[in-house]
Amino acid sequence: MPRGELRIYLGAAPGVGKTYTMLEEAHRRAERGTDVVIALVETHGRRHTTAMLGDLEIVPRRETTYRGAVFTEMDLDAVLARRPEIAVVDELAHTNVPGARNAKRWQDVQDLLDAGISVLTTVNVQHLESLNDVVARITGAEQRETVPDAVARAAEQVELVDMTPEALRRRMAHGNVYQPEKIDAALGNYFRTGNLTALRELALLWLADKVEDQLDRYRADHAIDSTWETRERVVVALTGGPEGDTLIRRASRIAARTRGADLLAVHVARSDGLAGADPAALARQRVLVESLGGSYHQVIGADIPQALLDFARGANATQIVLGASSRGRFAQHFAAGVGVTTIARSGSIDVHLVTHERAGQGRRSGPVPAALSRRRRVAGFLTTLLGLPALVALLKIGPELSLTNDILLFLAAVVGVALIGGLWPALLAAVGGSLLLNWFFTVPVGRFTIAEGQSLLALAIFVTVAVAVSWVVDTAARKTRQAAQAAADAQTLATVAGSVLRGERPLIALLDRLRETFALDSVTLIDNGTVVAVAGRPACTKPSDADVEVKAGDELTVLLRGRILEASDRRIVEAFAAQAAVALKQERLATEAATAKPLAEANKLRTALLAAVSHDLRTPLAAATAAVAGLRSHDIQLDDEDREELLATTDESLGRLDRLVANLLDMSRLQAGALGVAAIDVGAEEVVPRALDDIGPDGRQITVRVPDDLPPLRADPGLLERVLVNLITNALRHSPPGRPPVITGSSYGDTIELRVIDHGPGIPHNRWDDVFLPFQRLGDRDNHTGVGLGLALSRGLTEAMGGTLTPDETPGGGLTMIVALPAGGVA
């Protein structure tokens, strides 16, 4: 059975018209004769969306009872039994009521697709898993219902339903999105113009990535190697030379000319695995690339131009930036450089050759390291000086051989010297052997002349072969040594990187591993003369105290103390120094983020406070003002009953204002850590009645079941009373008629528990923590009964007294709030 197709209507925010557009498509499909059913559509009371349902067939929803409340969900089994060609399923990120077949609606959609049913659905950008935290930082509202990006990216079609922020806000103001009582709060918070603009950009960028993935798959499926210039991608080739910084900055400027262009840096390493570039320079250049918003890559290839072009074509690059050849003019006459070859093979990719200070000046390579150790070279010279005369003596004493055999024996001696001492002893052996052969074994003997042409040819061949063999042996030895050094360097870098990743403090871990690796006494990082990190002792406070000084940046220097390093070791240290600069930057950013987090939380609190107070102070203040105005009016004749009612309204409104202000002040003290707690031993029978009295007439409905022999608890009576008032008020708000809340008390060891039990709709287990968030209510359905501080403040006050406040299920349905405090006499 073929799998169904998924079509997603993506929006930047609620209200842009996703559901409306989806229903338009459903009607178009139905008019073409396609079997379309409405599996689930949420109209949210919007009349235009409701009208769009029209005469489309609707599969009845399934009712589910959970914790005493009735919920409706999509009837997945009914849709599967109906087996339409297309099912319309709204709100892909929705979380199903516990007890359903799947936890998430997108999982229901997967079942429909597996059954061969195509699906039309909707999702907002804030519900995409990869963007969830980004949206939370932008809007200040966390979305707990998410869809994995893999599910959305797997859709055959994703259509963006777009609307400008100004148009969406006008739609909001006209009442086409939310109910009138929610419009002001929405426009002042989530639906601010800046928020909507940022969400719109996120939606566009996410969809652009989705389109790019589709394009890459199409090009791969159709074996298209040529570049399609859908987006500017600039590749800069790095060799690890000093010109790299110039190339990177030039490539960055080229990429910056086009909005949304990508910058990619690539280093082509030799396929033999030998070190061909300065790792420290590459590390610094990698940091520079990433600081400019680019990405660093490394590929391996024997043919550098071809490897570079293969990478560029694979990345769908449009431009390549290369440095002008640093080889001299003489060398360029014999072989085309990387730049010339890349231009010749580039095809449709533009290639920029950027000049720099080193262009055309020839390669300034350092001294070639010896292939073998000094001891082995000395042994090679001694073997030459002693071995060749000994060989002559043996040939003179022994049976007479032909000149050819003599030459072969001398050639074997030269090879042996090359294996022992390398190139220069072997060259000496080749020259000395040719002279000895000429003097002792070539006619005329005893003279440096050659009478026969064949003998001259044989000696010439001997010298040529001896020099060639010496060169090959020396080169092989040098390559072997370089490979061993490269392997050791790579192992060192991998070890250090691993220790840094595993450490809690990357910078200290990096310096400490560097000290251990090179057996140093101390490693110190200084910033503009100030010590910022030290590993080992004694620390170096200035460069004159160090044995080795390595620059890690413009103002950063790594000072090593303990021994002088070899040149090869210094290259590795330079790479570590560059990483130390990155680690220091990361630690400073983390410190700044930690410092900014409390400020951000405080700012978030103030923002929420202003938004909530501006609305919630208005109702009691307006009621009190109207009541007082009525009492003071001389135009209205009031009897005693009317006057008492107005006074009661004034008293109730001012009481609400007093509780609201008290909650706000206490919450501010909690946030500032300035709340005073005076804990004493107090009995629950003292605190509970006072809390009920504070609630007023509604407190008489509460059933109290606190045992008379309950031990005293350790708490601040005033704060505990506030906690109970908030919990009881919340329980009264959600209790059904005829089933008032119950307060019970019990003792468990050194803990006293007070339980406030209601039999209302309850709260899903996965949403328990949400009710303790300031300025939030479960579902955000109520905008006029308070600022939502009660439970958040209650938990804060309870924890300030050394206790805990936790929710639990009420048997039979409802919510139980448990206040656990230390028993009297327990610290």
Side-chain angles (χ1 to χ4, degrees), residues 452-482:
E452 298 179 2
Q454 292 183 351
S455 299
L456 177 61
L457 178 60
L459 286 177
I461 293 175
F462 164 75
V463 173
T464 303
V465 172
V467 171
V469 170
S470 302
W471 180 266
V472 169
V473 171
D474 184 81
T475 301
R478 181 176 290 105
K479 295 292 186 182
T480 301
R481 188 172 184 179
Q482 289 179 355

Side-chain angles (χ1 to χ4, degrees), residues 268-323:
V268 181
R270 294 169 53 178
S271 59
D272 56 12
L274 301 180
D278 185 354
L282 286 176
R284 289 192 298 271
Q285 290 166 8
R286 177 173 187 166
V287 172
L288 177 59
V289 169
E290 293 173 349
S291 68
L292 294 173
S295 58
Y296 178 86
H297 307 268
Q298 183 164 313
V299 297
I300 298 176
D303 187 344
I304 292 178
Q306 190 60 46
L308 176 61
L309 288 170
D310 288 343
F311 172 82
R313 292 191 179 105
N316 200 24
T318 57
Q319 302 184 61
I320 297 176
V321 177
L322 292 169

Side-chain angles (χ1 to χ4, degrees), residues 560-767:
L560 311 180
R561 187 168 186 172
R563 66 185 182 91
I564 303 297
L565 298 180
E566 297 181 2
S568 58
D569 291 339
R570 186 182 178 92
R571 293 176 62 191
I572 301 300
V573 173
E574 289 175 350
F576 293 162
Q579 295 302 319
V582 177
L584 177 62
K585 181 179 180 181
Q586 291 175 342
E587 286 197 1
R588 287 176 172 173
L589 289 175
T591 302
E592 291 176 2
T595 304
K597 185 175 181 180
L599 298 176
E601 291 295 334
N603 183 63
K604 182 179 178 181
L605 177 66
R606 285 192 295 270
T607 302
L609 175 63
L610 291 174
V613 169
S614 64
H615 181 276
D616 290 287
L617 283 178
R618 192 178 302 139
T619 300
L621 187 60
T625 302
V628 171
L631 290 170
R632 295 185 60 186
S633 175
H634 300 290
D635 300 331
I636 303 175
Q637 298 296 324
L638 300 175
D639 56 23
D640 293 341
E641 183 179 353
D642 293 335
R643 186 173 285 102
E644 285 297 325
E645 183 177 352
L646 289 175
L647 288 172
T649 300
T650 304
D651 182 66
E652 179 184 357
S653 299
L654 293 177
R656 287 180 60 188
L657 282 174
D658 180 67
R659 288 193 296 272
L660 173 61
V661 172
N663 280 346
L664 292 173
L665 291 175
D666 284 344
M667 197 67 190
S668 299
R669 293 190 187 102
L670 278 174
Q671 293 287 334
L675 181 69
V677 179
I680 62 173
D681 291 351
V682 61
E685 70 278 3
E686 302 176 31
V687 181
V688 173
R690 289 203 299 266
L692 297 179
D693 289 341
D694 287 346
I695 293 174
D698 291 339
R700 301 190 185 98
Q701 307 175 29
I702 307 301
T703 302
V704 181
R705 297 174 183 168
V706 178
D708 294 336
D709 58 349
L710 185 69
L713 46 84
R714 188 78 175 174
D716 185 314
L719 297 184
L720 179 57
E721 182 181 334
R722 296 289 307 284
V723 170
L724 292 176
V725 168
N726 285 331
L727 295 181
I728 296 170
T729 303
N730 186 71
L732 283 169
R733 184 183 301 119
H734 296 95
S735 293
R739 302 193 68 183
V742 178
I743 301 176
T744 65
S746 57
S747 173
Y748 296 94
D750 294 336
T751 302
I752 306 297
E753 289 186 353
L754 298 178
R755 295 172 177 254
V756 180
I757 305 168
D758 70 59
H759 300 280
I763 299 174
H765 184 277
N766 61 345
R767 304 294 302 276

Side-chain angles (χ1 to χ4, degrees), residues 381-529:
F381 282 116
L382 290 176
T383 302
T384 300
L385 296 176
L386 300 177
L388 293 184
L391 179 60
V392 171
L394 289 174
L395 291 176
K396 286 296 184 180
I397 296 174
E400 185 176 354
L401 301 175
S402 65
L403 179 60
T404 301
N405 291 328
D406 295 336
I407 290 175
L408 290 176
L409 290 174
F410 270 89
L411 182 60
V414 171
V415 173
V417 170
L419 293 174
I420 296 172
L423 176 62
W424 295 108
L427 290 178
L428 177 61
V431 175
S434 65
L435 295 176
L436 292 173
L437 283 169
N438 189 9
W439 182 269
F440 290 102
F441 301 102
T442 325
V443 179
V445 176
R447 297 175 58 185
F448 287 110
T449 58
I450 302 174
E452 298 179 2
Q454 292 183 351
S455 299
L456 177 61
L457 178 60
L459 286 177
I461 293 175
F462 164 75
V463 173
T464 303
V465 172
V467 171
V469 170
S470 302
W471 180 266
V472 169
V473 171
D474 184 81
T475 301
R478 181 176 290 105
K479 295 292 186 182
T480 301
R481 188 172 184 179
Q482 289 179 355
Q485 182 65 41
D489 292 347
Q491 181 63 36
T492 302
L493 290 169
T495 302
V496 172
S499 66
V500 170
L501 291 175
R502 290 188 296 270
E504 294 182 0
R505 300 185 62 191
L507 179 58
I508 296 298
L510 178 66
L511 298 183
D512 193 58
R513 180 60 68 177
L514 181 59
R515 180 185 62 82
E516 293 178 0
T517 301
F518 294 102
L520 300 168
D521 295 336
S522 67
V523 178
T524 307
L525 180 65
I526 62 174
D527 183 6
N528 199 18

Side-chain angles (χ1 to χ4, degrees), residues 126-150:
Q126 67 263 29
H127 296 298
L128 295 172
E129 183 67 43
S130 64
L131 299 177
N132 183 258
D133 57 337
V134 179
V135 174
R137 286 195 296 270
I138 293 172
T139 64
E142 183 177 0
Q143 301 291 336
R144 296 186 177 273
E145 294 184 328
T146 59
V147 176
D149 283 62

